[in-house]
Amino acid sequence: MSTYRFEALLAPRAIAVVGLGQGAVGQGAVGQGALGQAVVGNLGKAGFAGPVHLVGAAGLPTLDDLPETPDLVVIVAQAAEVEGWVEKAGLRGAAVAVILTSDLPEDLCEVVRNRARQWGMRLLGPNSMGLTVPRAQLDASLFAAAPKAGDLALISQSGTVAAGIVAWAAHRDVGFSAILSLGTACDIDIADCLDHFAADIHTRAILLSLNVIPNARKFMSAARAAARAKPVLVLRTGRHAAPLRHTVTHTGALARPDAVYEAAFRRAGLLSVDGLDAMFSAVETLGRQRPFPGQRLAILGNGEGIGALAADRLADRGGTLAAAGLGGNPTDLGVEADAKAYADALRPLLADPANDAVLAIHVPTARSDSAGVAAAIADTVSAARRKGGRRKPVFAVTVGDDGEAGAVLAAAGIPRFATDADAVEGFMHLVRYREAQDDLMRTPDSLPREFSPDVEAARAIVVAAIEAGETWLDPHAVARLLAAYRIDSVPLTLAPDIDAAAAAAWPIIAEGGAVALKVVSPDIVHKSDVGGVRLDLTSEADVRAAAADILTRARRQRPDARIMGFAVQPMVRKGKRRELIAGLAEDPVFGPVVVFGRGGVAVEVIDDRALSLPPLDLRLASELIDRTRVARRLAAYRDVPAVDRRALGLVLVKLAQLSADLPEVRELDINPLLADANGVLALDARVLVGPAPERRGGTRNPRFAIRPYPVEWERNLVLKREKVTVRPVRPEDEGLFKSFFEQVSAEDLRLRFFMPVRDFNHAFLARLTQLDYARAIAFVAIDAQTASMLGAVRLHADANHESGEYAILIRSDRKGTGLGFALMQLMIDWARAEGLQRIEGTVLRENRPMLAVCRSLGFAVHPDKEDGTVMKVGLTLGEP
């Protein structure tokens, strides 16, 4: 339901507090009565302008007795009474209910949610501490102190974490646009709130505190949309809780829940913090300083030691120290530095283009006071801002709890911290946010045209194993699966017994080679654990002896295991190759995860790995590689040439594509994956399979947290004898769009964008080509012979996924070919498949051809009541 009825939640006209027991208000009540007393008290202190009705023993007997329908109902009743109050609130016509009651059984939560939906009513909670909207003078919460108004939105699953942030903010003069405590979140969840506050003009940054994500796809879609609009910072509690799933592959063991959550946050462009201290630093920063380009920090202080500490902390956090100026960096003003010394030193630093931000640190001494230095810093910054130009950010540290200095800095909008570590942390939050924004907008490299996996052959391999009742592919099937996705592996022969193994080994040995012999059993995942691997066998006798020993060991250690025979392979010398691991794991929350890291027998002990959610492109794959320590060993050193990074990245992209195409593949482990200057080679691999989950929403793998590229919507059309390929837009299409716009007339561009447009910069094009397929689609038409772009249509669904707004542009020389009609029809088909109820658009009144197409497709066309130059078009969708 997303943002449905959020206006009633955050700006109600009337409120009712229900479930008040005997002595609930004004008599020092405890238990549920104390909840009512606290929330009614906070509503009164906030000065809510509308009526607040008390329903229960302390007020009106029932909701039916109210003079008007309350938008917001706050329920403070016992758990057994909550369902009844939700029913009564729905019957009365309330829009939202906030349930402060705790300890509702899970089955009762389901009943309450279904009851509310009968009346179209939203629920916040249960086990919520309520909500507060300072600018609306609304405080329907259990917080000890009302926060001041500001532009930070706080959304928290944990009520105590939210209360802690509110209490901290009260001492730091940090304000909020709204605070929502979600509690159990049986209805309104994190994703709903992200969708609302991403579009809220009163909110500049969003703070999240969460523990679990019940709907990963909904969360990722909302989080990625919000992160493109404003900074979103997340603190996850319970990061090191024991995983709930049993894993058998190395990749499965490496994909621990905390690592998967971090990978998801990174992919969504969120800023992740690891504790309340870091959260407070972020709140201080985001509350006063907007994100800025660059990452070079100049440090100014009244002591060499304190400046060095800050510089060390900056290096530890991966920051960049600006190049030293005349005073050095850090600049040491000396212990006798007074307010004037700070002002004189700060002024040139603000003007110096060699740094992007300034950190001013003051340690109180007998010769200078914090308040005076703070005033000098504030005055200098304000004077620089009045001169115009770029507003260079300044961060301040006043060591010790100096309230007067803090107030001076806060009034000037300068983030103030008590320690250098906190200040550097705050600075790095903004640097990481800017980097995340750049990553979201960066164009990936194009995939090589020769990469076209044989999906049908791969699916046949997997389905055959599942139909045979197997959960693990045999080595020969694994090799065929990898070959279907153009991943090179070492040739192998399956031998059912010792004689067959010796026969398979002989041609290799006869040419002077050596043989690797491995046990084949669907019940033995890690062959080396049972002595099931023998290397460097150079004679038939060695092969026979090794095979007999493998059988003896396997039967002794795993008497229950089915031994199918042996895998015989030529020995591959590691030489100058790097030993890596790559594969797929299955997370219970986020679904498939791509894993990469340092490989080998001790892979889990070394624990050098990075994770990413699929789908991947080459840019994302390269970033995944860079997040490991082993990435440094991929470069050239001494007489060892550099690894072919593109080939390595392409393997990760192929694995992500395999996961999208084959949801039956649950885990995949390539270990080791050997890489050198000539490419990559899979030395050993295993694949876990299972029945495919039921498809939902038109996607191939419903377990994907991020909707993959919808290949099923690719089409081939023939329009007036011209062959046209129509497919969904891909991120690497930026260059295609740039060339297309250069061939569209200025008049057609004006009709599309409602104004003259000629500056098609990277940011503009990235927004057109980098889509979240869960809530938007764009189809591009390409000439099958020239590969040039002929036109495009796009549709963006609203946050409630009920309606979408479309836009279309056809190349000027392709008008009248029927292409526009065909693209519009395909867009309508997609909207129907996604379950949208309505398509809307705005068309210039003078754009008669487009209006004619809309009418022919059944759109209703009528003038815009507010703008006489445009027409509104709309199509109500039925069944396909």
Side-chain angles (χ1 to χ4, degrees):
M1 297 180 75
S2 199
T3 60
Y4 178 65
R5 291 200 154 177
F6 259 62
E7 72 285 351
L9 173 69
L10 301 174
R13 292 165 296 182
I15 299 173
V17 182
V18 306
L20 297 165
Q22 292 287 345
V25 179
Q27 299 181 23
V30 295
Q32 299 302 124
L35 291 182
Q37 178 177 335
V39 73
V40 170
N42 280 347
L43 282 166
K45 293 176 193 175
F48 180 67
V52 177
H53 303 288
L54 310 183
V55 180
L60 297 169
T62 69
L63 280 168
D64 293 333
D65 297 322
L66 301 184
E68 71 262 299
T69 299
D71 291 320
L72 179 64
V73 173
V74 182
I75 299 176
V76 295
Q78 297 286 342
E81 302 172 354
V82 169
E83 181 185 354
W85 280 114
V86 168
E87 176 77 8
K88 294 171 185 175
L91 284 168
R92 189 66 174 86
V96 188
V98 177
I99 306 175
L100 303 186
T101 309
S102 60
D103 301 325
L104 254 70
E106 187 173 337
D107 57 343
L108 185 55
C109 284
E110 181 75 16
V111 170
V112 168
R113 178 173 60 251
N114 292 336
R115 188 78 70 194
R117 287 183 176 175
Q118 290 179 354
W119 310 104
M121 185 170 68
R122 302 302 304 273
L123 299 178
L124 182 67
N127 198 28
S128 167
M129 289 189 71
L131 77 151
T132 176
V133 186
R135 73 174 185 282
Q137 296 179 294
L138 169 63
D139 187 10
S141 77
L142 302 176
F143 300 134
K148 65 168 292 187
D151 55 11
L152 298 179
L154 172 60
I155 309 160
S156 179
Q157 289 178 339
S158 167
T160 52
V161 172
I165 294 174
V166 170
W168 176 90
H171 293 287
R172 289 292 188 276
D173 203 34
V174 172
F176 297 88
S177 59
I179 300 171
L180 275 70
S181 167
L182 303 185
T184 309
C186 74
D187 176 26
I188 293 175
D189 60 16
I190 290 280
D192 297 335
C193 296
L194 281 170
D195 275 329
H196 172 81
F197 289 111
D200 180 29
I201 61 173
H202 302 289
T203 298
R204 183 162 58 85
I206 303 171
L207 311 178
L208 302 180
S209 169
L210 57 83
N211 173 245
V212 295
I213 295 173
N215 188 330
R217 175 171 288 184
K218 181 182 177 185
F219 169 81
M220 289 298 292
S221 181
R224 295 174 74 198
R228 284 181 178 269
K230 55 193 65 173
V232 182
L233 191 140
V234 58
L235 167 66
R236 180 172 179 253
T237 60
R239 291 182 295 115
H240 298 298
L244 300 177
R245 61 190 175 93
H246 173 69
T247 60
V248 288
T249 62
H250 291 304
T251 50
L254 294 174
R256 292 187 296 271
D258 60 311
V260 177
Y261 267 90
E262 285 299 314
F265 296 155
R266 178 187 295 271
R267 185 66 181 274
L270 309 187
L271 302 175
S272 180
V273 297
D274 57 7
L276 276 178
D277 287 342
M279 173 69 87
F280 292 158
S281 293
V283 170
E284 175 69 17
T285 307
L286 296 174
R288 309 192 194 283
Q289 177 62 56
R290 295 184 180 278
F292 57 91
Q295 58 181 3
R296 300 167 299 176
L297 182 65
I299 300 173
L300 171 70
N302 60 339
E304 181 180 355
I306 195 67
L309 282 175
D312 289 343
R313 181 66 173 181
L314 182 68
D316 291 341
R317 303 301 289 169
T320 302
L321 195 65
L326 294 177
N329 191 19
T331 300
D332 177 16
L333 298 178
V335 295
E336 296 186 358
D338 57 10
K340 183 178 182 303
Y342 270 87
D344 291 343
L346 183 58
R347 205 172 292 116
L349 290 177
L350 293 175
D352 188 351
N355 61 72
D356 302 305
V358 179
L359 170 59
I361 307 173
H362 177 255
V363 180
T365 69
R367 301 295 300 272
S368 66
D369 66 287
S370 296
V373 169
I377 293 172
D379 291 344
T380 305
V381 171
S382 297
R385 290 172 179 172
R386 286 194 296 270
K387 290 182 179 180
R390 178 183 164 192
R391 294 166 60 96
K392 184 170 295 186
V394 175
F395 304 81
V397 173
T398 54
V399 178
D401 189 14
D402 190 315
E404 185 179 353
V408 170
L409 294 167
I414 298 173
R416 177 256 176 177
F417 304 89
T419 70
D420 62 282
D422 290 342
V424 168
E425 196 73 30
F427 166 76
M428 289 304 299
H429 284 311
L430 292 181
V431 170
R432 292 192 193 103
Y433 171 72
R434 175 55 60 186
E435 290 175 346
Q437 289 297 293
D438 292 342
D439 286 345
L440 286 173
M441 302 298 287
R442 194 179 304 162
T443 303
D445 294 334
S446 296
L447 288 173
R449 294 183 181 275
E450 62 270 18
F451 173 47
S452 54
D454 190 343
V455 179
E456 292 309 314
R459 181 173 290 111
I461 295 167
V462 173
V463 170
I466 294 173
E467 290 178 346
E470 299 295 343
T471 56
W472 292 95
L473 297 187
D474 65 60
H476 190 251
V478 170
R480 289 163 52 216
L481 178 65
L482 295 181
Y485 278 81
R486 313 294 189 261
I487 299 174
D488 293 335
S489 61
V490 180
L492 66 84
T493 302
L494 289 182
D497 52 38
I498 294 177
D499 290 338
W506 173 246
I508 301 172
I509 295 171
E511 293 184 0
V515 168
L517 191 68
K518 303 172 185 178
V519 68
V520 175
S521 169
D523 304 313
I524 300 175
V525 180
H526 301 296
K527 297 178 282 291
S528 58
D529 290 350
V530 297
V533 179
R534 290 291 187 278
L535 305 177
D536 283 315
L537 305 176
T538 57
S539 70
E540 181 179 339
D542 289 342
V543 172
R544 290 182 177 278
D549 187 55
I550 286 174
L551 285 177
T552 300
R553 288 173 176 267
R555 287 169 177 162
R556 181 173 64 246
Q557 297 187 42
R558 290 292 306 275
D560 59 323
R562 294 166 291 166
I563 308 298
M564 314 304 292
F566 306 91
V568 182
Q569 295 175 290
M571 276 295 300
V572 175
R573 305 297 177 186
K574 178 182 175 183
K576 295 178 180 180
R577 294 184 174 105
R578 282 65 150 187
E579 205 171 41
L580 309 170
I581 184 172
L584 300 168
E586 182 85 6
D587 182 76
V589 175
F590 292 97
V593 181
V594 179
V595 181
F596 170 79
R598 183 172 178 178
V601 178
V603 59
E604 293 176 37
V605 177
I606 297 172
D607 196 24
D608 176 19
R609 50 88 184 107
L611 282 64
S612 185
L613 302 187
L616 296 182
D617 53 39
L618 286 172
R619 174 182 62 82
L620 291 169
S622 179
E623 291 176 354
L624 175 61
I625 295 169
D626 286 337
R627 293 203 303 273
T628 61
R629 297 189 303 275
V630 76
R632 287 171 285 185
R633 297 189 64 239
L634 304 181
Y637 60 92
R638 294 186 179 177
D639 64 337
V640 180
V643 163
D644 184 345
R645 284 281 301 255
R646 182 178 173 83
L648 180 57
L650 188 56
V651 167
L652 300 178
V653 173
K654 290 175 178 178
L655 291 176
Q657 185 63 50
L658 184 153
S659 182
D661 295 336
L662 304 174
E664 298 89 350
V665 173
R666 301 302 176 84
E667 292 186 14
L668 188 153
D669 205 38
I670 303 178
N671 180 36
L673 177 69
L674 300 180
D676 63 9
N678 298 316
V680 293
L681 181 69
L683 193 58
D684 196 11
R686 54 189 62 84
V687 179
L688 176 69
V689 296
E694 181 181 354
R695 295 190 180 188
R696 302 187 307 272
T699 183
R700 289 161 290 157
N701 193 333
R703 292 196 300 268
F704 265 44
I706 300 173
R707 183 82 71 90
Y709 173 78
V711 68
E712 63 272 16
W713 283 94
E714 294 179 347
R715 302 286 188 272
N716 292 309
L717 307 177
V718 178
L719 302 173
K720 291 190 176 181
R721 299 181 181 179
E722 183 179 49
K723 294 182 179 180
V724 177
T725 298
V726 179
R727 61 166 174 79
V729 166
R730 294 193 290 252
E732 60 265 29
D733 287 337
E734 185 175 321
L736 193 67
F737 270 78
K738 187 175 181 62
S739 298
F740 168 72
F741 285 130
E742 292 172 353
Q743 300 177 62
V744 177
S745 70
E747 175 62 10
D748 285 341
L749 289 172
R750 185 185 68 82
L751 292 175
R752 162 63 176 87
F753 295 107
F754 294 12
M755 65 181 68
V757 180
R758 273 300 173 191
D759 181 21
F760 298 106
N761 56 40
H762 164 66
F764 176 84
L765 294 172
R767 287 186 174 90
L768 295 180
T769 56
Q770 299 185 22
L771 299 180
D772 177 1
Y773 300 117
R775 56 176 68 194
I777 194 67
F779 292 108
V780 58
I782 300 172
D783 189 307
Q785 291 185 334
T786 65
S788 60
M789 180 173 164
L790 306 177
V793 65
R794 63 185 58 248
L795 182 72
H796 282 267
D798 64 3
N800 299 324
H801 212 70
E802 295 174 349
S803 66
E805 184 173 1
Y806 87 92
I808 186 170
L809 181 61
I810 305 299
R811 210 170 75 188
S812 303
D813 62 341
R814 288 301 192 273
K815 288 187 173 183
T817 63
L819 180 59
F821 186 94
L823 287 177
M824 289 286 289
Q825 186 62 65
L826 185 60
M827 177 266 293
I828 293 170
D829 291 344
W830 181 87
R832 283 198 176 105
E834 287 293 307
L836 297 184
Q837 300 171 17
R838 185 171 173 79
I839 296 174
E840 298 172 341
T842 303
V843 182
L844 283 173
R845 184 186 290 268
E846 62 193 279
N847 193 352
R848 293 185 182 88
M850 186 70 253
L851 293 174
V853 170
C854 289
R855 289 189 177 98
S856 66
L857 286 166
F859 281 75
V861 180
H862 57 83
D864 189 313
K865 297 178 180 179
E866 299 179 356
D867 185 350
T869 66
V870 300
M871 304 291 284
K872 290 292 187 181
V873 300
L875 177 66
T876 300
L877 301 176
E879 293 297 322

